[in-house]
Amino acid sequence: MSATSLLQIDKLNKSFGENQVLTSVDLNVVAGEVVTIIGPSGSGKTTLLRCVNFLETYDGGSIQIDGREVGFTDSVSRKRRGEADLAGMRAETGMVFQSFNLFPHLTAEQNIMLGLRRVRKKPHKEAREIAQHWLARVGLDHKADSLPSELSGGQQQRVGIARAVAMDPKVLLLDEITSALDPELVNEVLDVVRQLAVEGMTMLVVTHEIAFARDASHRIVFMADGSGRE
Amino acid sequence: MDAVLYSIPYLLDGLGITILVSLIVVALSLIIGVILGVGIIYGPLPLRLLIRLIGDGIRGIPILVLIFLVYYGMPALGLNLSSFWSAVTALTIFKSAHVIEYVRGAVLSIPRGQMEAGMSIGLVFRERLRFVIFPQAVRRFLPPWLNGVTDAVKGSALVSLLGVVDLMHAINQVIGRTYEPLPLYILGALLYFAINYSLSTLSKVLERRYSYIRE
C-alpha cells in the first residue's frame, strides 16, 4: 500500500440483494498510472468502476481519491455526503460510458461546456475555449456545433471523452467505451485514450480489448467472481 | 340574430372569466403537477406512495363531484372560499393530478444514462433536472399537456354550476332572457372551439419546435 495512491480501494464490498458482486476488492492506483480491469461478464468490473464515482453506493470497505472518502464523509461512520458535496466529489472523477450518454439536446461543444459552466463555474468564453481545445484534441474541432445524433458512434464517444477530461478530473474512468462501437471505429477512440495515457492521465479502464490493455496500461487486474488479482 | 347581437357583450364578459379560470388553473396545476411529478419519481418511497395514492384517487373522481366536494367540503374544514375560488381550487386539484402523470411519463422516457452522465460531471440534482432531464422531457410532456389544457378550458364550463358567470353561464343567462337557445349555444360552441383550436395549433407548432432530438 503506497502513501502516494491517488485512488485507493480497500476491502470493497457490494451486493445487489442476494447477489454479492464485489467481495473485498483492494486496488491502488498511483498518479499517472493506467490500470486496466479485465474479466468475464458479471465479474463486477463495471460495478467497481461505478462505485468509484458513487453511481453505485458500496456496502462496505472504502474508496478514497486523494485521501478523501468518495461517497461518505468517512469510511467509519458511513454518513452519506450531502448532494452538493457528493457532486463535488464526482467532479473529481471523469466517467466515459459504454453507451456514450451524451446529452442529445446539446451540441458537442455544449456537452463539454455544461460541466465547465455549472460545476467549474467558468465564464462562458473560457468554457468555450476549453471545449474547443478538447474537441480539437479528439479531432472533432469541425464538429463543435453538431448534435450527437449527427455524429458517428466513434465521434460521439470521442466527445464523451472530451467531456470527461475537460473537467480536469483526478482520475478518468472508462467503462467499456468501445463495446458499443463498430469494429472500424474502435481505433479512433482508443488512439485518443492512448494519447491521454502517454500524457500522464490517471485512468481506470474496464475493457475487452486485450491488446489495448497490454500495450497501453501499466497494470492489468483480472477480476473474477467479484474479487481482483493482478 | 338580434338575440345574438344582444348577447355579445355578456358572452364576452363570460368568455373573460372562462379564460381567467383556465389560465389560473393551467398555471397552478403546472407548478403543482411538476413538483409532485418530480416527487413521485425521485422522492423517498413513502412520498411516492402518498402522491400516487392521492393522484390516482383524484383521477378516479368525476370532476363534477370534485367541484361540489370542494365547494361544500371547504367550509366544513373552516375554509370559506367564494364559488369562483372553490371552482378554481377543484379544477386545479383535478388538473394537477393529470400533470403529475404527464411529467412522470415524460421524465421516465429519458434513458437512465442521462441522469448518470449529469452526475458524473458533478451536477447537483437540481441542475441535472434543469439542464439535462427537463429540456429533453419537455418534448414528451408538451403534447399530452396541451391536450390537457384544452380539457381544462372545456372543463371550466362546469364552474357555471357554482354560479360563476363564465361563458357557459353567460350563455344560459342570455337564453333565459331571449328564449333563443339554439343560436346562442352554437355561438358558445364556436367560441370554445376558437380557443381550443388555437391551442391545438399552438401545440403543433411547439411540437415541431421541440422535435430537434432525433432518435
Side-chain angles (χ1 to χ4, degrees):
Chain A
M1 190 175 299
S2 153
T4 58
S5 286
L6 185 59
L7 170 65
Q8 183 168 335
I9 302 174
D10 287 317
K11 299 190 179 60
L12 193 72
N13 285 306
K14 167 73 186 173
S15 47
F16 293 111
E18 297 280 287
N19 184 15
Q20 178 97 18
V21 186
L22 298 174
T23 311
S24 198
V25 175
D26 294 318
L27 181 67
N28 290 302
V29 181
V30 299
E33 196 179 21
V34 178
V35 175
T36 301
I37 308 171
I38 58 172
S41 299
S43 58
K45 308 180 299 285
T46 290
T47 304
L48 176 63
L49 216 57
R50 289 166 60 86
C51 283
V52 174
N53 70 349
F54 216 63
L55 289 180
E56 303 284 356
T57 57
Y58 39 96
D59 306 327
S62 148
I63 300 178
Q64 295 193 345
I65 293 171
D66 234 0
R68 289 183 73 206
E69 187 67 23
V70 170
F72 304 103
T73 49
D74 61 81
S75 61
V76 184
S77 73
R78 288 180 56 82
K79 187 176 172 301
R80 197 185 160 101
R81 288 181 187 277
E83 175 67 17
D85 202 12
L86 198 54
M89 281 305 294
R90 283 193 179 118
E92 300 295 317
T93 54
M95 180 98 173
V96 184
F97 298 88
Q98 179 177 358
S99 49
F100 323 141
N101 293 353
L102 293 183
F103 306 126
H105 58 299
L106 301 179
T107 64
E109 184 177 272
Q110 289 168 335
N111 263 275
I112 302 169
M113 286 173 67
L114 182 60
L116 293 169
R117 296 275 289 127
R118 298 294 153 186
V119 180
R120 294 289 184 235
K121 311 286 182 202
K122 304 271 188 205
H124 185 273
K125 187 164 171 283
E126 190 187 344
R128 190 154 180 205
E129 281 163 9
I130 296 171
Q132 284 170 345
H133 166 78
W134 281 106
L135 279 174
R137 282 290 314 274
V138 300
L140 292 172
D141 34 345
H142 59 297
K143 294 288 186 186
D145 297 324
S146 300
L147 290 170
S149 57
E150 296 161 346
L151 301 174
S152 73
Q155 291 172 330
Q156 287 189 52
Q157 193 59 296
R158 284 187 275 155
V159 175
I161 295 170
R163 178 175 70 178
V165 290
M167 294 292 288
D168 194 21
K170 289 178 175 156
V171 185
L172 192 60
L173 309 170
L174 309 180
D175 182 15
E176 301 193 25
I177 61 168
T178 56
S179 301
L181 295 176
D182 293 334
E184 72 271 20
L185 300 177
V186 167
N187 262 322
E188 66 183 55
V189 172
L190 291 185
D191 284 342
V192 170
V193 178
R194 279 193 197 95
Q195 188 56 36
L196 289 170
V198 168
E199 287 165 22
M201 173 64 79
T202 310
M203 290 190 266
L204 189 56
V205 185
V206 168
T207 187
H208 292 295
E209 301 283 332
I210 303 295
F212 170 79
R214 203 174 43 224
D215 60 47
S217 59
H218 302 104
R219 228 161 13 112
I220 298 178
V221 176
F222 183 80
M223 273 192 84
D225 300 329
S227 53
R229 272 183 302 269
E230 303 216 2
Chain B
M1 206 56 214
D2 284 351
V4 169
L5 286 176
Y6 164 79
S7 72
I8 283 174
Y10 298 100
L11 295 200
L12 286 183
D13 283 351
L15 183 65
I17 294 293
T18 289
I19 291 173
L20 183 66
V21 169
S22 306
L23 278 179
I24 298 174
V25 168
V26 165
L28 288 180
S29 65
L30 179 62
I31 296 167
I32 296 170
V34 167
I35 292 170
L36 295 183
V38 169
I40 208 174
I41 302 167
Y42 300 110
L45 188 63
L47 181 69
R48 297 207 303 263
L49 290 177
L50 184 70
I51 299 173
R52 156 115 313 176
L53 192 71
I54 296 173
D56 284 355
I58 289 167
R59 278 180 294 112
I61 302 173
I63 174 67
L64 193 52
V65 174
L66 196 61
I67 287 176
F68 283 120
L69 208 58
V70 169
Y71 185 60
Y72 291 110
M74 286 302 207
L77 292 172
L79 266 169
N80 275 307
L81 295 177
S82 65
S83 40
F84 178 84
W85 284 108
S86 296
V88 166
T89 304
L91 288 170
T92 300
I93 292 172
F94 190 72
K95 286 319 292 178
S96 299
H98 286 89
V99 174
I100 291 172
E101 284 306 302
Y102 309 150
V103 171
R104 203 174 69 91
V107 170
L108 289 183
S109 73
I110 309 300
R112 202 183 136 77
Q114 289 295 309
M115 203 61 166
E116 293 183 347
M119 284 179 184
S120 75
I121 58 171
L123 297 176
V124 295
F125 179 68
R126 199 168 32 80
E127 292 169 328
R128 295 199 295 273
L129 287 183
R130 182 173 155 203
F131 299 111
V132 177
I133 302 297
F134 284 168
Q136 298 182 59
V138 73
R139 188 175 62 114
R140 305 272 173 135
F141 174 78
L142 276 177
W145 179 70
L146 279 162
N147 216 357
V149 171
T150 61
D151 277 347
V153 175
K154 288 182 276 184
S156 75
L158 294 169
V159 306
S160 62
L161 294 169
L162 296 187
V164 177
V165 188
D166 71 330
L167 177 57
M168 187 65 210
H169 201 91
I171 293 170
N172 282 331
Q173 281 180 337
V174 174
I175 292 171
R177 273 169 267 160
T178 61
Y179 302 104
E180 287 198 54
L182 195 57
L184 284 167
Y185 279 130
I186 290 172
L187 183 60
L190 285 175
L191 284 173
Y192 278 114
F193 176 78
I195 300 176
N196 284 333
Y197 188 73
S198 336
L199 280 171
S200 61
T201 308
L202 174 71
S203 119
K204 287 200 185 73
V205 171
L206 285 176
E207 268 176 64
R208 224 172 297 133
R209 159 100 171 66
Y210 281 103
S211 65
Y212 53 79
I213 306 163
R214 277 170 283 159
E215 276 141 311

